Amino acid sequence: MRFLGINAIFHDPAAALVVDGRVVAAAEEERFSRRKHGKRPLPFSAWELPEQAAAWCLREAGIGPEDVDAVAYSYDPALVEQRPDGDWEDLRTRYAVRAPLFLSTALPGLDAARVRFVPHHIAHAASAGLASPWRDCAVLVCDGRGENVSHLAGRYTGGELEVLAAQPLPHSLGLMYEDVTEHLGFLRSCDEYKVMALASYGRPRFLEELRELVYATGDGGFHVTPIEWGGYAKALRKGEQWTDDHADLAASVQARLEEVLLDLARWLHERTGERRLALAGGVALNCVANTRLLAEGPFDEVWVQPAAGDSGTALGGALHLAQVHGEPAAPMSTAALGRGFTDEELGAWLDVARVPYTRPADLAAAVADELAADRLVAWFQGRSEYGPRALGHRSLLAHPGHAANTERLNDVKGREQFRPIAPMVLEDRAPAVFGRGPVPSPYMLFVHDVLPGWRERVPAVVHVDGTARVQTVSPAADPLMARVLAEFEARTGLPVVVNTSLNTAGRPMVDDPRDALECFGSSPVEVLALGPYLIRRGEVFAS
């Protein structure tokens, strides 16, 4: 059977297609529309659908809208508490109620009666528990909000979900983190990862006060008192310079988030006795908290959905319907679920653009030469990633042995200088360089300690606190990138390569060849590896 999942209600609109229990395609709308996060999470935008992503998913499977057995819309308006007339939030609910009609208009041939509303946190839970490597596991979902809750704790047994706890609004760890994101001058529901990065520069000196305001309630839920952030640090406007007070506030909120998540995990473990935990929801993108959950929490293994934010509910909704219809989900083995292009298609793009290029006999060796010479390489290979992390398909690569490359890459991308860049490493070489975090770690959703002796050797990927957000690479999963890493180590003695997303500030990750060429042409990147082809900046501008 064929199940199409749709996320549209808040932000990161996305679509995913599950056929016979297997994920065939999944993509965020931003990769097609080129609008970061697809849209802002306002009631006024709730009608906007991932039309291009959904149409592409169907094309990828060679089917039409009329061939879909059911559509999962990852929000159930029937669960929303009634609000007074005139409340703008009511507009969101009204749009959601009409989503079946909107979808049948956006996808001609789709029967509106085939649309099913899947509760938001059920979709999140399914995106973790059903896509994980395990049939039986505990599952913890934590985000800003759904219809009427902000959290779900439960367990999957044989693919069936048992909900054990859910936290009613207005209490929300995700919204608390969004609030402090906005107070620190960043864009809420977008820039929360910047707060996580800034936290490493501060001391959690407000932690004791936050413990009085934010705490687990002992029944699987938590309490969040409204917080006056100005009492800790003045509000920042976009672009203003942060101070120690701002870094200390970020560190305090980050530390309290970690503590409450640990309390929730311990309660869940006591209730279930499970050894394994699957995480989803926007809070699960906090890789610092994930590592602490694994290192100090009661679970032996933790798996995080690579599209843990709202975009992942498109996948979760589709998997949930498949399970309901008796089609167990196949474990999610890759995040490379987006668009891909043949060598012939890529060559045609280059010919149309009239860009000089070569086709090296050994692409991995050629790219390793460029990296060893300290050139920046834009890397466009295979299918694009589902989720917010560049995982070696739409990446910007660099030499990790030069500390200046951190500032260099942040300048190229137009990012704040306090933000770290991440390392890629072969799975079997990771334990020699990194500690504490899990191995394998293919989705860059945990931080690892950089071991003594290596911090000076790979300074570009070491954050101020001595950690790195590692992606491990398996030769079986990505043989080309594995060869690049091996060839680079043969030349430099370093088993690590810098990997950051191929985009510039405020723009979604590159997705198709036009995006790659535009990014290459507008940023000081020396080399573009587009499929099997190499384009060098000097040759382009000399022609």
Side-chain angles (χ1 to χ4, degrees):
M1 298 181 72
R2 305 176 179 105
F3 300 100
L4 179 66
I6 297 290
N7 170 61
I9 197 69
F10 295 116
H11 51 83
D12 295 306
L17 185 67
V18 172
V19 178
D20 299 331
R22 184 175 62 87
V23 186
V24 171
E28 290 111 324
E29 186 73 1
E30 68 165 21
R31 308 297 173 86
F32 300 83
S33 69
R34 310 309 298 161
R35 293 168 59 195
K36 187 73 171 175
H37 293 290
K39 61 181 180 180
R40 295 300 300 143
L42 303 170
F44 311 98
S45 69
W47 64 271
E48 296 185 47
L49 297 168
E51 298 183 25
Q52 296 180 77
W56 171 78
C57 285
L58 297 177
R59 288 197 306 272
E60 181 69 10
I63 64 174
E66 66 280 1
D67 300 315
V68 174
D69 292 290
V71 177
Y73 184 85
S74 60
Y75 188 84
D76 187 351
L79 299 178
V80 179
E81 295 180 3
Q82 293 296 316
R83 293 176 173 83
D85 289 342
D87 188 332
W88 284 118
E89 188 60 34
D90 184 55
L91 187 61
R92 193 191 312 271
T93 306
R94 296 187 184 197
Y95 282 142
V97 168
R98 291 162 175 76
L101 294 176
F102 293 160
L103 283 164
S104 64
T105 300
L107 301 170
L110 176 68
D111 183 355
R114 296 186 178 181
V115 178
R116 304 285 183 269
F117 294 116
V118 177
H120 188 71
H121 286 83
I122 298 296
H124 266 311
S127 79
L130 294 181
S132 78
W134 320 301
R135 290 287 287 165
D136 299 342
C137 65
V139 62
L140 185 64
V141 173
C142 193
D143 66 357
R145 55 161 298 186
E147 299 89 351
N148 55 10
V149 301
S150 67
H151 146 272
L152 177 151
R155 67 175 158 199
Y156 274 95
T157 304
E160 297 294 330
L161 175 65
E162 177 187 6
V163 178
L164 299 172
Q167 177 57 55
L169 293 168
H171 303 284
S172 170
L173 295 173
L175 291 181
M176 174 195 71
Y177 214 92
E178 287 186 20
D179 288 344
V180 78
T181 297
E182 186 172 50
H183 185 77
L184 292 172
F186 307 125
L187 185 62
R188 67 182 301 137
S189 293
C190 178
D191 291 344
E192 283 70 28
Y193 56 92
K194 297 182 183 180
V195 177
M196 182 181 69
L198 182 60
S200 297
Y201 288 81
R203 296 180 296 108
R205 60 187 174 95
F206 307 121
L207 182 55
E208 286 300 327
E209 296 171 60
L210 289 179
R211 284 173 175 157
E212 298 295 321
L213 302 173
V214 183
Y215 50 85
T217 51
D219 57 359
F222 49 84
H223 177 94
V224 179
T225 304
I227 299 171
E228 176 48 59
W229 302 110
Y232 304 100
K234 78 176 186 72
L236 285 177
R237 294 181 180 179
K238 183 177 175 62
E240 287 186 335
Q241 181 60 42
W242 55 271
T243 67
D244 288 344
D245 284 345
H246 298 104
D248 289 350
L249 177 57
S252 302
V253 172
Q254 175 67 29
R256 190 58 188 142
L257 173 71
E258 294 167 15
E259 291 178 343
V260 175
L261 289 174
L262 278 167
D263 287 339
L264 297 176
R266 289 172 182 135
W267 179 90
L268 182 57
H269 183 262
E270 289 176 1
R271 287 293 303 273
T272 65
E274 295 286 351
R275 295 178 44 252
R276 295 159 168 162
L277 175 66
L279 294 177
V283 174
L285 293 173
N286 191 306
C287 55
V288 176
N290 293 344
T291 294
R292 191 167 176 193
L293 269 177
L294 178 61
E296 300 178 29
F299 293 95
D300 297 334
E301 296 180 76
V302 176
W303 187 84
V304 186
Q305 161 62 246
D310 274 8
S311 64
T313 64
L315 172 61
L319 291 174
H320 175 75
L321 288 188
Q323 179 68 33
V324 167
H325 285 79
E327 294 189 347
M332 185 177 178
S333 60
T334 180
L337 297 167
R339 283 189 288 180
F341 302 85
T342 66
D343 293 351
E344 292 71 25
E345 288 171 328
L346 295 174
W349 274 94
L350 294 173
D351 290 337
V352 168
R354 298 183 181 179
V355 174
Y357 61 88
T358 61
R359 184 169 185 165
D362 188 338
L363 180 70
V367 167
D369 285 339
E370 301 290 349
L371 292 170
D374 200 25
R375 299 188 182 96
L376 301 184
V377 177
W379 180 259
F380 184 106
Q381 304 292 331
R383 295 178 68 172
S384 60
E385 299 92 340
Y386 181 47
R389 306 283 192 247
L391 301 171
H393 294 259
R394 304 291 186 271
S395 292
L396 191 57
L397 309 179
H399 195 304
H402 305 297
N405 278 342
T406 305
E407 181 175 351
R408 182 185 179 193
L409 282 167
N410 281 332
D411 283 343
V412 166
K413 290 166 66 69
R415 307 191 328 170
E416 297 88 351
Q417 287 299 338
F418 65 80
R419 290 170 57 185
I421 52 179
M424 301 175 76
V425 61
L426 280 173
E427 187 177 301
D428 63 355
R429 297 288 286 121
V433 186
F434 304 103
R436 192 166 59 110
V439 175
S441 183
Y443 300 132
M444 205 186 288
L445 284 167
F446 296 86
V447 296
H448 295 62
D449 294 328
V450 184
L451 296 177
W454 282 99
R455 296 181 185 185
E456 298 76 20
R457 298 186 65 187
V458 291
V461 299
V462 183
H463 196 29
V464 66
D465 59 0
T467 66
R469 191 179 66 197
V470 174
Q471 179 199 351
T472 61
V473 176
S474 160
D478 192 344
L480 180 58
M481 179 52 69
R483 286 206 60 243
V484 170
L485 288 164
E487 294 285 346
F488 182 75
E489 183 173 12
R491 287 157 176 75
T492 64
L494 302 176
V496 171
V497 166
V498 173
N499 169 34
T500 187
S501 56
L502 183 53
N503 67 328
T504 52
R507 299 285 291 165
M509 261 194 288
V510 159
D511 198 77
D512 73 9
R514 182 190 297 276
D515 304 333
L517 288 166
E518 288 178 351
C519 186
F520 177 67
S522 62
S523 59
V525 176
E526 287 94 340
V527 181
L528 168 62
L530 189 78
Y533 309 108
L534 274 190
I535 303 94
R536 293 179 172 86
R537 174 168 294 277
E539 295 172 359
V540 170
F541 290 98
S543 62

